[in-house]
Amino acid sequence: MPLTRKAYRAAILHSIADPAEVGIEASYEYFEDGLLVVDGGKISALGHASELLPTLPADIEIEHYQDALITPGFIDTHIHFPQTGMVGAYGEQLLDWLNTYTFPCESQFGDKAHADEVADIFVKELLRNGTTTALVFGSVHPQSVNSLFEAAEKLDLRMIAGKVMMDRNAPDYLTDTAESSYVESKALIERWHGKGRLHYAVTPRFAPTSTPEQLTLAGQLLTEYTDLYMQTHISENLKEIEWVKELFPERKGYLDVYDHYKLLGERSVFAHGVHLCDDECARLAETGSAISFCPTSNFFLGSGLFNLPMAEKHKLNVGLGTDVGGGTSFSLLQTLNEAYKVMQLQGARLSPFKSLYLATLGGARALRLEDKIGNLQPGSDADFLVLDYNATPLLSYRLKQANNIAETLFVLMTLGDDRTVQQTYAAGALVHQR
Ligand code: GUN
Ligand code: ZN
């Protein structure tokens, strides 16, 4: 970790609140000629260059980026590391897609060499796309989590992950048991949870692939350690929802299954939630649980349109997820491009500042990490990006027609992708340079 002070000068933009709560203008800070000062892996100052420069030692090193925008690192609240090799698999919706493509692909992650190789590709891909923190599904194999955390630890990334718990309705080669999933998760928690910037997430895949015994033990794990996360899927696909009703006829609905097994809470993140009803949103909000909105996946798997206004009405925490490999891009910029279309198809809007919030501070709040990541307030981890206005000829030309930061931001989110991310910094260190 670099211990010396360094400053970065460019246009700087970050979210400071949810536009749904405070209005758009009060939701962000923008410095047209800004300065970000980093000290020992943390942000020590942020402001207008003209005001901050005179306060700094004359010999401080300053990196000056022209035609570029500094933003906080992006936060992906739902992604599957062992699905990196199967992005863009043709022709199926959720349940057939899992059986045809996903399970065979995930079966390879008990092998250390394979898991290490893909972990390296996966972490590089996150950083190339400007994602500095992700909430990650491993496979059923503890090795998948060990490989991922080892790769993240080398770069001192803030990363959250867990081994999938799955003891029924999946091929034998990919199931654990209630007992083994508990013991293996516990060993991973002991090894990784709270080590550096790493955190563990208890990870029952979704209700159909866990027995009541396994869900009970998942709930028990959450009581045995502090600040553990819980991640799973919910109400993504109509056939999936029908299946959950058949498997758990005694429960009121899909969310009630998780509620019954004590899996809701402030560090619980439910992916998708496309078909949630009003009462379920209210219950999620009441328990402080979060939803990961995964637009590219919901389009690709034909799952449906997430109702963000309903979530906002309930003041539900919502982050953005790529859901690779159901999702089709590691880029949160591309994910926002699709999120905008999800809203358009429902007769609603997604302002560029709400989009910025979802990809940064909203994700941090969903993960209860807003005091550490998600914006550029002094004291935060120095996880930030440099976005290049000249990344492609079209972007460069288009941005010349933009009249203000709102237009610039919206175009970056519509045309931008991994090429737009010129530098990625994590804990003050340069971890990706295009
Ligand atoms: N539901 C259960 N498992 C999965 C998965 O791997 N991807 C998605 N999108 N949904 C799921
Ligand atoms: Zn998923």
Side-chain angles (χ1 to χ4, degrees), residues 78-80 83 94 97 137 205 232-233 236 271-272 294 297 323-326:
H78 183 66
I79 186 164
H80 297 257
Q83 296 176 17
L94 178 64
W97 173 84
F137 266 63
R205 180 172 214 116
T232 191
H233 298 88
E236 175 180 3
H272 307 294
C294 304
S297 169
D323 193 30
V324 161

Side-chain angles (χ1 to χ4, degrees), residues 108-403:
Q108 306 167 74
F109 284 77
D111 176 53
K112 181 173 179 341
H114 181 75
D116 284 349
E117 182 192 350
V118 182
D120 190 48
I121 295 168
F122 177 82
V123 166
K124 281 200 180 106
E125 201 60 32
L126 290 179
L127 299 174
R128 289 184 63 255
N129 283 280
T131 298
T132 46
T133 290
L135 174 58
V136 186
F137 266 63
S139 67
V140 75
H141 317 93
Q143 180 60 53
S144 65
V145 174
N146 285 326
S147 296
L148 177 69
F149 274 150
E150 276 164 18
E153 189 182 33
K154 276 187 208 143
L155 296 169
D156 193 16
L157 305 180
R158 192 171 287 287
M159 205 55 69
I160 314 168
K163 167 207 126 61
V164 159
M165 303 170 79
M166 172 157 74
D167 67 344
R168 66 166 168 175
N169 292 323
D172 287 346
Y173 62 76
L174 210 57
T175 46
D176 50 18
T177 66
E179 178 64 19
S180 73
S181 70
Y182 173 82
V183 170
E184 289 173 353
S185 298
K186 214 172 164 76
L188 289 167
I189 293 164
E190 298 279 349
R191 176 164 178 200
W192 294 109
H193 187 54
K195 192 169 186 216
R197 296 208 294 160
L198 306 175
H199 313 256
Y200 193 81
V202 174
T203 308
R205 180 172 214 116
F206 68 156
T209 49
S210 285
T211 58
E213 293 70 36
Q214 186 167 58
L215 294 174
T216 303
L217 288 175
Q220 190 177 318
L221 277 172
L222 295 175
T223 66
E224 290 179 29
Y225 297 87
T226 51
D227 294 348
L228 272 185
Y229 289 88
M230 196 294 300
Q231 58 177 343
T232 191
H233 298 88
I234 192 163
S235 295
E236 175 180 3
N237 169 288
L238 295 174
K239 284 192 183 151
E240 169 209 17
I241 296 169
E242 285 309 307
W243 195 21
V244 172
K245 282 189 193 148
E246 286 166 24
L247 291 167
F248 298 90
E250 70 285 9
R251 303 268 62 94
K252 272 189 305 200
Y254 201 158
L255 183 71
D256 191 45
V257 175
Y258 295 134
D259 206 354
H260 178 77
Y261 293 102
K262 303 191 167 36
L263 299 176
L264 277 59
E266 291 199 342
R267 285 181 171 72
S268 296
V269 179
F270 296 86
H272 307 294
V274 168
H275 305 286
L276 289 171
C277 65
D278 236 3
D279 286 355
E280 289 176 316
C281 283
R283 180 65 186 148
L284 285 165
E286 185 184 29
T287 55
S289 307
I291 289 286
S292 179
F293 170 24
C294 304
T296 78
S297 169
N298 297 158
F299 277 136
F300 186 71
L301 294 177
S303 302
L305 305 174
F306 177 66
N307 189 339
L308 182 61
M310 177 158 87
E312 284 179 337
K313 188 181 82 184
H314 289 281
K315 298 196 188 323
L316 186 49
N317 273 333
V318 177
L320 201 63
T322 60
D323 193 30
V324 161
T328 48
S329 173
F330 275 77
S331 169
L332 285 184
L333 294 173
Q334 273 307 294
T335 305
L336 289 170
N337 179 6
E338 301 301 304
Y340 178 80
K341 297 168 192 168
V342 170
M343 300 293 275
Q344 280 280 38
L345 284 169
Q346 298 177 98
R349 293 227 183 119
L350 187 62
S351 92
F353 295 103
K354 177 73 187 198
S355 288
L356 175 71
Y357 174 80
L358 286 173
T360 57
L361 185 58
R365 286 187 174 166
L367 302 175
R368 307 285 162 179
L369 289 170
E370 66 269 29
D371 59 330
K372 299 188 171 65
I373 56 172
N375 70 15
L376 303 172
Q377 302 285 16
S380 294
D381 296 353
D383 291 359
F384 62 96
L385 313 175
V386 182
L387 303 179
D388 176 11
Y389 290 169
N390 299 316
T392 67
L394 177 62
L395 185 68
S396 182
Y397 179 67
R398 176 64 182 87
L399 285 180
K400 286 193 177 62
Q401 331 299 319
N403 295 309

